[in-house]
Amino acid sequence: MDINASVAKRWALLALLGVTLLSQGCQKGEEPVDPYAFNYPDYFPDPTYTFDNNPITEQGFKLGKKLFFDPILSRDGTIACSNCHVQAVAFADAAHPISIGIEERIGKRNAPGLFNLGFRETFIWDGGVTHLDFVPLNAIENPLEMDDDISLVIQKLTAHPEYPTLFRQAFGTDTINGAYFLHAMAQFQLLLISAGSEYDQMLQGEKSLTPLAKTGLSIFESRCATCHDGALFTDQSFRNNGLNASHESDPGRALITAANSDKGTFKVPSLRNVAATSPYMHDARFGTLEEVLDHYDVGMVDSETLDPVFRQPDGSLGIPLTDAEKKALIVFLETLTDRDFLRNPLFFRN
Amino acid sequence: MKKLLLGTVLAVTAGGFSACKEDQIQEEFGVFELEFDHKVGSSSLSISAWDDTNYPYTNAMGQVYNVTNFGYYITGVQLSGPDGAFLEDHIHSSANPDEVHGYYHILESEPASKSILLKDVPAGKYNQISFTVGIPESGVQEGATGGILDPAAGAWFWNWDAGYIGLAVEGQSPSSPEVAGAFNPEHFVAVHIGGWKEVASNPNMVNNTKVITLNFEAVNVGENLEPSAHLYADVAKVLDGPSANIDFTTNYSIHSPIKDQPFAGNLAEVFSVDHSHQ
């Protein structure tokens, strides 16, 4: 067995085989890996989450996972979080470019992948939520998504044959409330840590990238990493990347900040697992990475809030890329897919 | 760092045990009651039903209205006195409602909420109170909290721009236009003051939580004493004040930090002291 396997792979094997493996960074004979511990590589930023208020436990994580897969959260009992956030595609939407809510209602944006959320400063494409705990409220109460009411959700859970026992086991409480519910949801989402890609294995000295992927990495570092920066592959800023001339249909970040300068800007998404999370952009307009790179090369549309990073000295817009560079970039982006994360049994429905 | 702190604590505990014990015996604590009364100008506030077409109040533009809901959060309560007496109300967030402390949701519709009993107040003379109206960043960023901050238990919370509504006035006015298909077409009026974020580069990202400081006639806190301060909150001054005057024909639905900002600017005038007593 490869002692240098990624964290995710070790979790997977742990659950599959029921055996105890040694922690990767540890010396021989040290403690076994706890699959419910918040472990992450040393090149990740510090977590933003308030673990003091909500320490992760096995029972809390499992409760959060059950809730994530349970359509009881929607008004008519038809839509679960997992409808639009599917593990095989890094918890993005596998089936619909724009997510579908109850009664076939069509949402407004593409459901983003869910991973490495404990390191994020803001959530949702427009950054309107600043704490992971509060994210699920948006899906539960949005009329185009679950169209429920959090107080009714708590009533349904309280009347359920299993949930009161599960909340007692997780939190020692006889009364289910919104805060415990949101804490359980957060515990599940916090452990969705994706740090086992080929790129991570390269960083950890376990593997080297192919020559073409290395070329792609060097193009990426010089042309893309201004925004898709650091270990999370996002600087967490909000930018207009030249999709539209007018921003009336979805003002993005300006919905939150009421600033004209933010019209048409959206959160820079992480590029981890990007090859698995088609389609792309907040409105799901591109189906392939080739289309995305063509957009950056020649497809940009000008508007007042277009990010300055895309304005070239000669007045042209975008990031010039040759076909060979695009090919190399895509090969590199594919090394960001964390296959162990996509099939980690820890996250499987019970 | 932890080890260092622990060492210090041990040293202090070991070295200063007898002195510390003596101090504790001498320290005396009491209670202080804070009561909120609500009025609209010179009238006391009376809550109307949704279908009530009587409009007992009049704004500065001469438009009549009634009030169906009024309330606010306060936190960060501090008491101080001329001789250095000081209380900082302990603030704690937890999913367990019994452990939540230092946050108060004052609601006209819930009389018990209008009285706050501060406990463990160091004995002494007090003549000033300060508190924050609204839930500031320090509270929002604690994450999900039980009790009065629980969205499933009636907390006033915005999902889309996550944070709490610090103060709300809801009512009806015949001057407010009927809007077909709107949330409430019945001449609805709502001012929900939220917003806690500030971004230096963006003047539109506003923090609408406000610290209010009020002086009152000095009272003594101590064992077997029951001092209290009675405060007013004036709904009329939320709607008409130094930084905003409401016009129900155009300004009947105020629900975002930037639109709230002028009304948040009125808050300094909203609260006043009625009296204090021993």
Side-chain angles (χ1 to χ4, degrees):
Chain A
M1 195 163 295
D2 179 11
I3 197 160
N4 288 325
S6 71
V7 170
K9 181 179 273 179
R10 275 182 279 114
W11 287 345
L13 291 169
L14 188 67
L16 277 175
L17 306 175
V19 297
T20 303
L21 299 176
L22 294 179
S23 172
Q24 167 199 326
C26 298
Q27 302 299 312
K28 278 179 191 171
E30 284 200 10
E31 289 176 15
V33 172
D34 173 5
Y36 306 102
F38 189 79
N39 288 325
Y40 57 94
D42 57 8
Y43 48 85
F44 268 37
D46 290 337
T48 53
Y49 191 74
T50 45
F51 292 98
D52 285 352
N53 293 347
N54 185 27
I56 299 172
T57 63
E58 177 178 354
Q59 293 83 357
F61 168 86
K62 286 181 172 168
L63 171 57
K65 180 164 78 168
K66 184 176 171 67
L67 292 164
F68 188 86
F69 283 100
D70 196 336
I72 196 172
L73 304 191
S74 60
R75 181 169 57 71
D76 62 0
T78 60
I79 300 281
C81 305
S82 56
N83 279 53
C84 303
H85 294 286
V86 178
Q87 181 179 0
V89 293
F91 293 96
D93 195 333
H96 315 101
I98 300 295
S99 297
I100 308 296
I102 68 163
E103 298 168 352
E104 311 294 322
R105 296 174 188 182
I106 301 171
K108 292 193 169 163
R109 295 173 183 158
N110 177 237
L114 304 180
F115 47 84
N116 302 338
L117 300 175
F119 306 92
R120 293 269 297 273
E121 291 155 14
T122 59
F123 303 86
I124 316 288
W125 280 105
D126 56 28
V129 182
T130 55
H131 194 290
L132 178 61
D133 285 355
F134 299 128
V135 174
L137 294 171
N138 282 273
I140 290 168
E141 298 197 338
N142 187 325
L144 299 179
E145 298 180 41
M146 294 175 166
D147 194 28
D148 212 337
D149 179 308
I150 183 64
S151 61
L152 298 180
V153 169
I154 300 305
Q155 283 178 26
K156 287 188 277 184
L157 297 176
T158 301
H160 190 271
E162 296 167 56
Y163 279 113
T165 304
L166 297 174
F167 273 86
R168 192 177 307 118
Q169 287 168 352
F171 298 109
T173 182
D174 288 327
T175 309
I176 301 175
N177 70 13
Y180 287 123
F181 165 78
L182 294 171
H183 278 177
M185 294 293 297
Q187 288 192 33
F188 173 68
Q189 294 174 81
L190 284 163
L191 286 189
L192 302 177
I193 296 170
S194 178
S197 67
E198 274 179 68
Y199 172 78
D200 290 287
Q201 291 165 30
M202 183 270 289
L203 289 183
Q204 292 162 9
E206 298 167 7
K207 192 171 181 176
S208 56
L209 299 183
T210 64
L212 192 54
K214 275 185 190 165
T215 305
L217 170 58
S218 110
I219 298 165
F220 183 86
E221 284 174 338
S222 64
R223 319 268 184 93
C224 312
T226 307
C227 309
H228 296 287
D229 180 41
L232 301 181
F233 286 84
T234 168
D235 65 355
Q236 307 206 44
S237 64
F238 300 87
R239 299 178 191 248
N240 171 355
N241 62 343
L243 297 173
N244 296 308
S246 156
H247 310 299
E248 297 312 311
S249 66
D250 190 344
R253 181 67 175 156
L255 286 170
I256 305 303
T257 64
N260 286 334
S261 58
D262 287 331
K263 279 190 179 167
T265 70
F266 293 85
K267 165 77 63 61
V268 173
S270 171
L271 297 184
R272 286 182 171 275
N273 300 304
V274 69
T277 58
S278 163
Y280 305 107
M281 308 299 152
H282 68 277
D283 60 1
R285 65 173 61 190
F286 300 129
T288 65
L289 290 172
E290 284 82 359
E291 287 175 66
V292 172
L293 294 182
D294 287 344
H295 167 75
Y296 284 115
D297 179 18
V298 295
M300 289 231 161
V301 178
D302 200 2
S303 66
E304 273 185 25
T305 58
L306 179 70
D307 201 90
V309 79
F310 298 119
R311 294 191 188 279
Q312 301 302 326
D314 66 358
S316 64
L317 303 178
I319 307 169
L321 293 165
T322 65
D323 285 350
E325 287 172 331
K326 289 176 194 171
K327 197 168 280 179
L329 267 177
I330 289 171
V331 169
F332 167 68
L333 291 173
E334 284 167 349
T335 72
L336 299 178
T337 302
D338 181 351
R339 292 188 174 76
D340 296 323
F341 176 73
L342 305 187
R343 59 190 181 212
N344 185 344
L346 188 67
F347 311 132
F348 288 180
R349 183 179 198 155
N350 290 337
Chain B
M1 186 62 182
K2 251 181 198 161
K3 270 181 190 163
L4 188 68
L5 278 175
L6 185 63
T8 312
V9 169
L10 286 174
V12 168
T13 312
F17 186 70
S18 57
C20 182
K21 198 175 174 186
E22 208 169 290
D23 285 349
Q24 279 174 354
I25 288 167
Q26 285 173 355
E27 188 108 49
E28 184 187 329
F29 295 92
V31 298
F32 187 94
E33 191 180 27
L34 201 52
E35 288 195 21
F36 290 87
D37 289 312
H38 300 152
K39 60 180 185 175
V40 187
S42 54
S43 317
S44 70
L45 172 61
S46 142
I47 292 289
S48 298
W50 278 106
D51 52 358
D52 196 334
T53 52
N54 292 308
Y55 306 103
Y57 313 118
T58 307
N59 71 8
M61 295 191 72
Q63 300 163 341
V64 294
Y65 65 100
N66 64 27
V67 176
T68 56
N69 193 9
F70 175 65
Y72 43 90
Y73 282 103
I74 74 167
T75 185
V77 176
Q78 292 185 358
L79 292 173
S80 55
D83 308 322
F86 183 73
L87 169 82
E88 187 170 12
D89 192 25
H90 173 60
I91 295 176
H92 185 68
S93 290
S94 169
N96 182 350
D98 297 336
E99 292 176 2
V100 177
H101 198 274
Y103 298 102
Y104 307 95
H105 199 188
I106 318 290
L107 292 163
E108 174 60 21
S109 58
E110 288 180 25
S113 74
K114 296 198 284 180
S115 169
I116 298 170
L117 189 66
L118 300 169
K119 295 172 185 166
D120 301 322
V121 183
K125 186 188 276 189
Y126 290 88
N127 67 346
Q128 189 180 73
I129 182 167
S130 75
F131 53 86
T132 300
V133 180
I135 305 297
E137 177 170 2
S138 57
V140 177
Q141 292 299 74
E142 291 283 351
T145 300
I148 59 162
L149 296 178
D150 180 354
W156 292 357
F157 192 81
W158 281 339
N159 294 342
W160 63 281
D161 187 2
Y164 298 87
I165 297 164
L167 181 144
V169 180
E170 294 173 359
Q172 294 149 105
S173 169
S175 300
S176 166
E178 280 195 43
V179 181
F183 167 61
N184 185 339
E186 305 291 332
H187 301 295
F188 188 62
V189 170
V191 177
H192 288 183
I193 301 179
W196 55 269
K197 281 174 274 196
E198 225 155 38
V199 175
S201 59
N202 181 353
N204 288 329
M205 287 286 272
V206 291
N207 177 3
N208 287 325
T209 67
K210 297 288 176 191
V211 176
I212 307 292
T213 301
L214 300 167
N215 295 310
F216 52 85
E217 198 176 320
V219 292
N220 287 309
V221 169
E223 273 179 43
N224 304 317
L225 298 176
E226 293 179 341
S228 67
H230 292 242
L231 308 183
Y232 278 133
D234 186 342
V235 176
K237 288 184 172 170
V238 178
L239 305 178
D240 287 299
S243 88
N245 287 287
I246 199 157
D247 177 351
F248 293 139
T249 64
T250 53
N251 243 354
Y252 51 87
S253 181
I254 316 290
H255 293 277
S256 70
I258 189 67
K259 282 186 168 181
D260 294 337
Q261 190 179 28
F263 295 95
N266 286 348
L267 290 178
E269 308 271 309
V270 167
F271 293 90
S272 61
V273 173
D274 177 15
H275 64 278
S276 57
H277 61 72
Q278 195 62 53

